[in-house]
Structures are given as structure tokens and as C-alpha cells.
Amino acid sequence: MALTREEREKFLAEPHIAALAVDAGTGRAPLTVPIWYQYEPGGDVWIMTGLDSRKNELIKAAGRFSLMVDRLEPTIRYVSVEGPVVETVAATEEQLREMSARYLPAEKVEGYVAFSSANHGEQVVVRMRPERWVSSDLGSV
């Protein structure tokens, strides 16, 4: 059964690992990779990736991407969202800290931020405006 707008936005706002998919060009299947993301109901979705990463290059070329998140318990539920890129900007340490705190225990955040800042190179934040949604709660099959 499809989720209501409120249900799907609330579910997407939870800290799931998303599958990002973006067109990889002629003769290629879409690039599909796991990624952390941030979302607040009614707003844009944002991800953080390397400035020179293949993800960023493909997103730039396509101008849009999709994310899919799911869970298996207590019921099988998923939300997929797709839309255009509305902004790409240099990532800040504050955004890295926000994203890290969404997924990591509090005591691990500062260590991860230091590691990422030292090892991941220049990062960008890519914002996508949700345009199309697909969602379902399959119950406990």
C-alpha cells in the first residue's frame, strides 16, 4: 500500500542508508551506490560527495538523481524519490558534522569529521528537489 505524503516524508527523514542512482551514460547501467543523505519533511534532499568523484561528475551531467531507502522491520517499507539538482556548493565542516551525527554514535562524530577532513579531499553538497515519489508499505509478509 502506498504511503501518504506525511508518511513518506517522515520515513525519508529517518537516518537510512540510501541507494543513490544516476545516469551513467550511453551503454551503461545507472551508477547505483550506497550513500548518507539528509532530509527534513517538505525540504530538499542533500548528499555530500567528493568534488572530483564519479558520482558528482555523473550528477552534474545528468542534472538529477534518485535515492531509495528501505527497511525490513517492523514492516517492509520503502521510499524512492527523484528530482532535479537545485544547488551544488562546497561542503562545510558544519555540514559534515551534521551528516556524521545523523549516522554515527555521538562519541564517534569528531573522530570521523577529523578523518574525513584529512582523507576525503574537497567535498560538495548536492541538493535535490524531490519531484517524483514511489513508496509502499508491504506489511509483514
Side-chain angles (χ1 to χ4, degrees):
M1 172 173 235
L3 302 176
T4 66
R5 178 181 180 158
E6 181 180 295
E7 290 171 328
R8 71 186 186 208
E9 288 187 350
K10 181 180 176 188
F11 186 73
L12 187 63
E14 295 171 0
H16 303 282
I17 303 296
L20 177 143
V22 61
D23 182 10
T26 305
R28 300 285 308 261
L31 173 70
T32 306
V33 295
I35 195 163
W36 291 354
Y37 70 95
Q38 181 62 286
Y39 175 73
E40 292 184 24
D44 294 336
V45 175
W46 62 271
I47 62 165
M48 189 177 295
T49 191
L51 174 65
D52 299 323
S53 69
R54 182 165 183 243
K55 279 189 300 274
N56 190 45
E57 293 302 318
L58 292 173
I59 290 169
K60 224 184 318 184
R64 61 191 313 109
F65 63 94
S66 64
L67 294 177
M68 193 281 298
V69 298
D70 65 345
R71 72 167 193 217
L72 298 177
E73 294 178 356
T75 60
I76 299 170
R77 180 177 277 198
Y78 71 88
V79 169
S80 178
V81 61
E82 180 255 330
V85 171
V86 294
E87 179 181 56
T88 301
V89 296
T92 65
E93 191 170 288
E94 180 180 314
Q95 289 167 317
L96 176 59
R97 189 170 284 106
E98 176 184 342
M99 185 72 77
S100 301
R102 178 172 163 84
Y103 290 95
L104 299 174
E107 68 275 7
K108 301 279 187 181
V109 171
E110 289 308 315
Y112 180 79
V113 168
F115 171 82
S116 182
S117 295
N119 294 286
H120 291 159
E122 191 173 351
Q123 301 282 302
V124 292
V125 166
V126 182
R127 293 188 182 279
M128 178 257 282
R129 176 141 314 123
E131 197 173 71
R132 293 184 183 87
W133 296 76
V134 179
S135 64
S136 186
D137 190 323
L138 304 175
S140 51
V141 283

